[in-house]
Amino acid sequence: MNPNRPAPAISLIGAPTDIGAGARGASMGPEALRVAGLQAALEGRGLEVADRGNLAGPANPWLPPMDGYRHLPQVVEWNRAVFGAVRDELRQQRLPVLLGGDHSLGLGSISAVARHCADTGRKLRVLWLDAHADFNTSALTPSGNVHGMPVACLCGFGPEALTRLAGMPGGAPALRPDQIRQIGIRSVDAGEKRFVHEQGLEVFDMRFIDEVGMRQTMLQALSGLDEHTHLHVSFDVDFLDPDIAPGVGTTVPGGPTYREAQLCMEMIADSGCLASLDIVELNPALDVRNKTALLAVDLVESLFGKSTLMRR
């Protein structure tokens, strides 16, 4: 972390639900991260960590889509709970770490961060580390799974109960497309791809990373940050190549290697701007001896300053 900034006090917030996903099991993600030693790993870096336990919310009814969305009332309820919990920690000047749960929960956490930045006059940058753009709408996807829609909803495209969650001044969306950088993308539906281009999202897909390398990718993704910027990282574990991280519901081959992911996290830490974090889509039911959770904890340590750098 930036040596000029005091070490943040961290709050872990569990959201044990797979309400927005197309496969069951991400509801067990928070406990898998705890079993993998997340709190002890961060405390080993000299950080103060409080585990706030798990939020409560409705059970997953496992129903087909209605009016283009699966489980919309339950998704809204879970995201309202996440919004309140994350906003409370930010008001206490703590760094919230959301332990998911599926990626629809990023709606609640990022809405809280956006509202906090609006209230405190800070700039916002979101890094979306994911195999998927998650920029679908009910018109673009037949599944209705909201974990494929959070970025679109944050930018104002979706049901009002989700797009207005942040309660932004003037009814504005939580995010403008220029505030988000997507990294590691390699699975995008055809209609979704057109929509991403229309809205002008900045996407560093795997071809871009292959062509220029992770270092140049992160230099561009982090460009323009300063001491007035709140950096939120939304880390979907399927960002990683499934050879090293099999414990996710939507594996896509060809993701970042261990070293590429480490460099990504270390460069985020070097920015000194990290102020909130999601860890989502970890599915222990599909994992091998908690391998993916252990890797996620290792990478989160790097986000908070663990470095392989030997140079002076």
Side-chain angles (χ1 to χ4, degrees):
M1 302 299 287
N2 188 332
N4 299 320
R5 287 192 178 187
I10 296 169
S11 297
L12 307 180
I13 303 165
T17 183
D18 42 29
I19 203 76
R24 301 300 301 268
S27 57
M28 298 184 287
E31 204 55 32
L33 289 164
R34 291 182 175 110
V35 169
L38 177 60
Q39 182 169 354
L42 294 175
E43 288 174 341
R45 304 217 51 75
L47 299 166
E48 188 236 303
V49 184
D51 189 340
R52 304 300 196 200
N54 287 339
L55 300 173
N60 190 335
W62 204 248
L63 297 170
M66 287 184 61
D67 300 322
Y69 301 97
R70 287 186 77 208
H71 312 143
L72 182 59
Q74 295 87 353
V75 168
V76 170
E77 192 170 336
W78 271 105
N79 275 291
R80 284 177 177 158
V82 169
F83 177 88
V86 170
R87 196 174 182 199
D88 285 348
E89 299 301 331
L90 291 169
R91 283 171 164 168
Q92 297 173 56
Q93 298 185 308
R94 298 180 66 88
L95 191 156
V97 178
L98 177 69
L99 311 180
D102 70 77
H103 215 164
S104 71
L105 300 166
L107 271 162
S109 63
I110 295 173
S111 291
V113 168
R115 180 59 188 270
H116 178 75
C117 288
D119 291 344
T120 57
R122 293 181 67 76
K123 296 188 290 185
L124 173 59
R125 175 75 56 83
V126 175
L127 297 187
W128 193 268
L129 311 182
D130 202 325
H132 308 86
D134 290 347
F135 208 72
N136 268 308
T137 67
S138 61
L140 293 175
T141 175
S143 77
N145 296 324
V146 183
H147 76 159
M149 307 180 187
V151 181
C153 289
L154 287 162
C155 291
F157 302 100
E160 192 167 298
L162 294 175
T163 60
R164 297 294 182 91
L165 185 64
M168 296 291 278
L175 286 182
R176 302 186 312 270
D178 67 309
Q179 292 175 303
I180 187 165
R181 308 287 185 272
Q182 296 195 313
I183 302 168
I185 309 300
R186 55 196 186 274
S187 177
V188 186
D189 300 330
E192 183 185 19
K193 186 181 293 187
R194 286 193 298 272
F195 196 32
V196 165
H197 290 319
E198 286 169 10
Q199 297 305 317
L201 262 69
E202 193 159 357
V203 179
F204 300 99
D205 60 16
M206 282 309 302
R207 171 152 179 181
F208 185 91
I209 294 170
D210 288 342
E211 288 177 346
V212 309
M214 184 60 81
R215 179 178 179 274
Q216 187 60 40
T217 297
M218 294 309 298
L219 286 172
Q220 292 191 39
L222 296 167
S223 175
L225 300 186
D226 60 28
E227 66 271 19
H228 304 296
T229 305
H230 180 120
L231 179 62
H232 178 92
V233 173
S234 204
F235 172 32
D236 185 322
V237 180
D238 73 22
F239 164 73
L240 303 166
D241 191 273
D243 283 350
I244 59 172
V248 296
T250 47
T251 56
V252 184
T257 65
Y258 176 76
R259 274 306 314 150
E260 287 173 326
Q262 280 284 8
L263 181 57
C264 171
M265 302 303 185
E266 290 180 18
M267 291 182 70
I268 293 169
D270 290 346
S271 78
C273 293
L274 179 66
S276 49
L277 171 66
D278 308 323
I279 312 168
V280 295
E281 296 286 354
L282 174 64
N283 190 330
L286 303 172
D287 205 3
V288 180
R289 299 176 66 87
N290 220 25
K291 169 183 177 178
T292 306
L294 289 163
L295 175 57
V297 168
D298 181 50
L299 292 171
V300 170
E301 279 189 88
S302 296
L303 267 180
F304 286 97
K306 184 183 78 170
S307 177
T308 56
L309 185 67
M310 288 294 291
R311 301 193 299 268
R312 290 188 184 277

